[in-house]
């Protein structure tokens, strides 16, 4: 399963990449919204993990862009962020995010399990 | 500072009042100069020039002396009275009843209607009417056409109409302006503070949690064995780091929740205050509006009330917000405000109205921010921000008090709030 992670903190990218690659996921990373979109449009992944608060290109804007293009609109996007859910959970749902993961409560192993579940669900389809 | 009629008319200090004042002086002086061109047989020019001299001296006296010793409203009142008197004299001297000179009366009448209160402006209109009537009477003694009488009566009717109409306009303007100002103030304040708060909370939360989540996540990689084998001892100490990081995350999360749940960071400036007086002041401020709608306002103070520790400005705002609703949404009947001592060291303020009441399905949402009952547009044409009660709730609860209501749809509502008596 191919996963694209977009987050402005390099340490966050390293953290999740380390664990997910150990679980045999194919990982692509981008440290800003624009790079992330370029990668997603060029080679649509199976899942996208997207940080919301990023300088210049806000995560919610990236989400909107992803949902507006045919090649990426069906890719499930999980918002990976530090804000408590009330802060922008509503807007995220409105824009079509698949889920909301507060980083502090969802360390790499949790995300790995979530993605494993997703992968087996997708295989079954 | 709060004059009896001041808030039912445009303020005399208003800049247009000054312009109107100056304009009327200019017009009067121009008219007197114009008199110069009227043929001698018609008038006795000397008396007119004496009149002109009188006006000039009065003008000087007015601006240098009266400005010093009288307040703007008194000055305004005197000016309008003297205007009317001089116009009457002028008309008498000129024996001219035609439109032009009569129209001069309108200047003081309109400015009085705009800037003075009801009684004063009606008195002035009556005075002008009396002068016109007197002039008609004097002229009729010399046996002149009855059409003078007819014109005269029309002129009187017109003056009364202009005065009343201008007053009505002025009141509308004042109402509109103060309602707009209030709504803007409220929403700006609430909106601004919430936005600043929300931004600050989101920012600081994010800044604290980002490094924390990275620390926690990295430690978890060690513990999960993703980074290679770790000895049991290493695991033990890594687990300690992990546990404490989790604690920090929980604390920050809780702090952020608390901060965002708090609506206002307003600091209370508490001092011993007389609640009866506070409520009475607020009632007095509301009273003219209510009475103009034909509502009866009744206030009952509590006897033997000790001074309460509260922020007088904030509590006054609460009372005004609650009463504002009562006045806005009650079409007829009464508004009954009481202050009562309650058992258990509480003082309770109740505002009862005979308004439309609140529907059961709306009752749970009444204190929500920006909530306005869906059918409220039919009940009150006035705009509202929907913030009055939510702000009141926050302020009362900050004082350690409680705010609630009882309402029956179609019958009316009573809003209560209680404050603790400090020891």
């Amino acid at each position: 399963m191919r996963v694209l992670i977009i987050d402005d903190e390099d340490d966050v990218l390293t953290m999740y990449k380390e664990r997910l690659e150990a679980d045999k996921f194919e990982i692509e990373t981008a440290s800003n919204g624009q790079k992330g979109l370029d990668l997603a449009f060029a080679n649509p992944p199976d899942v996208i993990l997207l940080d919301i608060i990023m300088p210049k290109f806000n995560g919610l804007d990236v989400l909107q862009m992803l949902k507006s293009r045919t090649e990426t609109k069906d890719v499930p996007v999980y918002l990976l962020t530090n804000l408590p859910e009330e802060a922008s959970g509503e807007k995220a749902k409105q824009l079509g995010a698949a889920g909301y993961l507060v980083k502090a409560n969802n360390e790499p192993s949790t995300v790995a399990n979530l993605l494993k579940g997703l992968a087996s669900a997708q295989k079954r389809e | 500072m709060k004059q009896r009629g001041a808030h039912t008319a445009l303020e005399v200090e208003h800049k247009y009042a000054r312009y109107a004042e100056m304009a009327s002086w200019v017009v009067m002086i121009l008219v007197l100069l114009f008199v110069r061109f009227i043929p001698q047989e018609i008038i006795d020019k000397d008396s007119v020039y004496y009149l002109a001299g009188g006006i000039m001296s009065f003008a000087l006296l007015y601006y240098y002396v009266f400005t010093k010793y009288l307040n703007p409203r008194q000055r305004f009142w005197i000016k309008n009275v003297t205007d009317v008197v001089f116009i009457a004299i002028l008309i008498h001297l000129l024996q001219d009843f035609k439109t032009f000179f009569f129209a001069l009366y309108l200047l003081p009448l309109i400015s009085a209607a705009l800037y003075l209160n009801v009684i004063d402006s009606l008195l002035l209109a009556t005075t002008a009417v009396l002068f016109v009537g007197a002039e008609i009477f004097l002229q009729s003694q010399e046996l002149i056409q009855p059409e003078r009488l007819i014109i005269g009566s029309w002129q009187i009717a017109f003056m009364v109409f202009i005065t009343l109409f201008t007053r009505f306009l002025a009141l509308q303007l004042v109402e509109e302006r103060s309602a707009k100002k209030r709504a803007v103030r409220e929403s700006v304040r609430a909106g601004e503070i919430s936005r600043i708060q929300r931004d600050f909370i989101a920012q600081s939360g994010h800044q604290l949690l980002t490094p924390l989540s990275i620390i926690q996540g990295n430690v978890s990689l060690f513990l999960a064995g993703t980074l290679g084998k770790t000895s049991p001892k290493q695991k033990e100490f890594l687990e300690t780091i992990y546990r404490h990081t989790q604690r920090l995350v929980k604390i920050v999360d809780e702090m952020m929740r608390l901060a965002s749940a708090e609506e206002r960071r307003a600091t209370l400036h508490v001092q011993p205050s007389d609640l009866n007086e506070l409520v009475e002041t607020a009632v007095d401020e509301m009273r003219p509006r209510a009475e103009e709608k034909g509502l009866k306002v009744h206030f009952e103070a509590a006897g033997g009330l000790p001074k309460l520790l509260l922020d007088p400005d904030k509590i006054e705002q609460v009372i005004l917000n609650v009463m504002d609703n009562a006045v806005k949404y009650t079409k007829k009947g009464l508004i009954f405000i009481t202050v009562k001592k309650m058992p258990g060291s509480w003082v309770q303020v109740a505002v009862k109205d005979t308004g439309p009441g609140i529907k059961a399905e709306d009752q749970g949402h009444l204190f929500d921010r920006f909530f306005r009952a869906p059918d409220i547009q039919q009940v009150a044409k006035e705009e509202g921000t929907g913030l009055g009660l939510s702000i009141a709730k926050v302020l009362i609860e900050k004082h350690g008090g409680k705010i609630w209501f009882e309402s029956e749809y179609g019958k009316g509502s009573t809003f209560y709030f209680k404050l603790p008596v400090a020891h």
Side-chain angles (χ1 to χ4, degrees):
Chain A
M1 194 171 186
R2 284 182 54 246
V3 187
L4 170 64
I5 314 177
I6 309 172
D7 194 309
D8 61 323
E9 287 269 356
D10 284 330
D11 289 334
V12 171
L13 294 172
T14 314
M15 193 167 81
Y16 286 108
K17 184 168 183 197
E18 187 70 32
R19 173 56 198 252
L20 292 173
E21 277 183 345
D23 279 343
K24 308 285 189 289
F25 287 96
E26 211 183 300
I27 305 297
E28 263 190 320
T29 59
S31 55
N32 65 56
Q34 194 53 60
K35 257 208 273 174
L37 283 175
D38 293 338
L39 287 171
F41 295 146
N43 208 352
D46 299 311
V47 180
I48 298 176
L49 301 178
L50 175 62
D51 184 23
I52 293 185
I53 298 199
M54 289 192 288
K56 282 190 226 158
F57 211 158
N58 185 295
L60 291 173
D61 294 331
V62 174
L63 180 60
Q64 213 164 21
M65 293 292 295
L66 287 168
K67 289 301 170 187
S68 66
R69 288 267 220 114
T70 34
E71 52 268 54
T72 51
K73 73 174 169 69
D74 293 320
V75 178
V77 179
Y78 284 91
L79 295 173
L80 209 61
T81 185
N82 277 316
L83 295 172
E85 202 161 334
E86 313 99 62
S88 45
E90 276 310 311
K91 197 146 187 236
K93 280 200 195 93
Q94 272 175 32
L95 292 169
Y100 201 97
L101 300 168
V102 178
K103 272 185 265 192
N105 300 331
N106 289 283
E107 51 204 43
S109 50
T110 318
V111 174
N113 289 333
L114 171 80
L115 293 178
K116 278 193 210 149
L118 209 71
S120 40
Q122 281 192 355
K123 272 209 203 95
R124 272 185 255 126
E125 282 168 10
Chain B
M1 234 242 292
K2 272 198 194 139
Q3 290 167 312
R4 258 256 79 112
H7 54 258
T8 54
L10 302 175
E11 291 101 59
V12 171
E13 290 82 2
H14 195 259
K15 60 176 176 188
Y16 294 125
R18 283 295 286 181
Y19 295 152
E21 215 179 293
M22 287 193 276
S24 69
W25 279 119
V26 168
V27 168
M28 298 266 278
I29 291 168
L30 283 176
V31 161
L32 287 169
L33 292 173
F34 171 78
V35 163
R36 210 180 172 289
F37 299 102
I38 296 176
Q40 186 71 36
E41 320 85 60
I42 297 183
I43 52 143
D44 171 14
K45 286 213 184 145
D46 286 340
S47 13
V48 175
Y49 289 132
Y50 287 141
L51 178 63
I55 291 177
M56 298 295 191
S57 333
F58 184 75
L60 289 170
L61 192 74
Y62 177 73
Y63 281 109
Y64 291 107
V65 178
F66 286 177
T67 315
K68 249 203 198 173
Y69 294 113
L70 297 176
N71 73 39
R73 262 193 80 238
Q74 289 171 320
R75 217 181 64 216
F76 209 82
W77 173 217
I78 290 177
K79 175 185 174 295
N80 283 314
V81 169
T82 48
D83 273 356
V84 168
V85 169
F86 280 136
I87 293 167
I89 296 173
L90 185 71
I91 291 181
H92 182 70
L93 290 175
L94 294 174
Q95 289 290 299
D96 189 315
F97 232 146
K98 288 201 220 66
T99 321
F100 179 66
F101 292 105
F102 160 74
L104 288 177
Y105 273 129
L106 295 181
L107 279 167
L109 284 184
I110 290 177
S111 50
L114 284 176
Y115 300 112
L116 296 178
N117 65 23
V118 194
I119 310 238
D120 289 348
S121 49
L122 284 180
L123 265 178
L124 193 69
T126 313
T127 313
V129 162
L130 284 174
F131 279 131
V132 172
E135 195 61 34
I136 300 173
F137 182 68
L138 288 170
Q139 292 198 354
S140 67
Q141 288 220 310
E142 297 158 10
L143 296 169
I144 44 151
Q145 305 94 318
E147 68 187 40
R148 271 294 160 98
L149 208 70
I150 296 172
I151 294 174
S153 317
W154 275 110
Q155 288 172 334
I156 289 174
F158 187 62
M159 286 196 293
V160 172
F161 168 73
I162 281 291
T163 307
L164 293 175
F165 181 69
T166 316
R167 259 221 64 76
F168 171 71
L169 271 180
L171 274 175
Q172 291 291 89
L173 282 171
V174 169
E175 273 280 340
E176 243 178 67
R177 201 181 302 168
S178 60
K180 237 182 253 175
K181 261 195 248 171
R182 237 177 323 160
V184 168
R185 244 198 335 236
E186 262 182 40
S187 65
V188 164
R189 240 187 327 188
E192 229 170 54
I193 289 179
S194 297
R195 189 182 46 80
I196 292 171
Q197 258 190 299
R198 240 178 278 135
D199 287 347
F200 174 72
I201 289 161
Q203 235 183 29
S204 19
H206 183 260
Q207 290 192 317
L208 286 168
L209 287 175
T210 302
L212 276 174
S213 66
I214 292 174
I215 295 169
Q216 193 182 290
N218 280 345
V219 173
S220 76
L221 288 177
F222 274 108
L223 290 173
T226 316
L227 303 170
K229 219 161 171 359
T230 48
S231 72
K233 197 154 189 191
Q234 285 172 337
K235 245 195 180 148
E236 197 185 309
F237 284 84
L238 283 168
E239 263 164 17
T240 306
I241 299 175
Y242 187 80
R243 253 184 300 122
H244 287 279
T245 316
Q246 271 194 322
R247 258 181 77 187
L248 278 175
V249 168
K250 272 212 181 74
I251 291 168
V252 171
D253 194 47
E254 210 177 279
M255 268 171 51
M256 280 173 62
R257 281 183 205 279
L258 226 81
S260 58
E262 219 180 83
E263 286 286 305
R264 292 269 212 99
R265 283 208 164 284
T267 30
L268 287 184
H269 301 292
V270 157
Q271 59 193 103
S273 314
D274 185 339
L275 189 62
N276 278 332
E277 214 178 88
L278 264 181
V279 178
E280 195 172 16
T281 314
V283 171
D284 280 347
E285 201 173 294
M286 277 290 159
R287 201 182 283 271
R289 258 184 71 203
E291 284 175 345
E292 270 185 288
K293 278 181 89 169
L295 303 169
K296 284 199 176 59
V297 177
H298 190 69
F299 167 62
E300 215 175 85
L305 196 66
K307 283 227 190 306
L308 291 164
L309 275 179
L310 47 87
D311 182 338
D313 288 329
K314 307 278 190 318
I315 296 298
E316 192 182 36
Q317 198 190 343
V318 169
I319 302 163
L320 285 174
N321 285 1
V322 173
M323 287 203 283
D324 191 33
N325 284 347
V327 173
K328 247 200 292 213
Y329 304 128
T330 306
K331 281 204 188 120
K332 59 178 168 76
L334 61 84
I335 298 175
F336 187 35
I337 305 112
T338 55
V339 182
K340 270 201 204 111
K341 256 183 87 172
M342 303 297 276
S345 300
W346 292 99
V347 178
Q348 181 181 284
V349 176
V351 178
K352 181 184 162 72
D353 69 62
T354 53
I358 304 153
K359 282 194 189 142
E361 63 253 32
D362 293 332
Q363 288 192 9
H365 300 290
L366 218 66
F367 291 104
D368 289 355
R369 267 184 28 193
F370 306 110
F371 180 82
R372 295 194 80 213
D375 66 339
I376 211 69
Q377 307 301 325
Q378 297 149 22
V379 180
K381 287 186 212 93
E382 291 172 62
E383 285 302 302
T385 54
L387 288 170
L389 284 179
S390 63
I391 292 172
K393 181 165 193 268
V394 170
L395 293 177
I396 290 294
E397 283 172 2
K398 271 190 178 295
H399 281 85
K402 258 200 149 62
I403 182 166
W404 72 99
F405 66 92
E406 283 165 18
S407 180
E408 206 183 335
Y409 188 58
K411 294 264 186 70
S413 322
T414 309
F415 276 79
Y416 303 93
F417 68 87
K418 64 177 183 180
L419 294 167
V421 179
H423 291 292

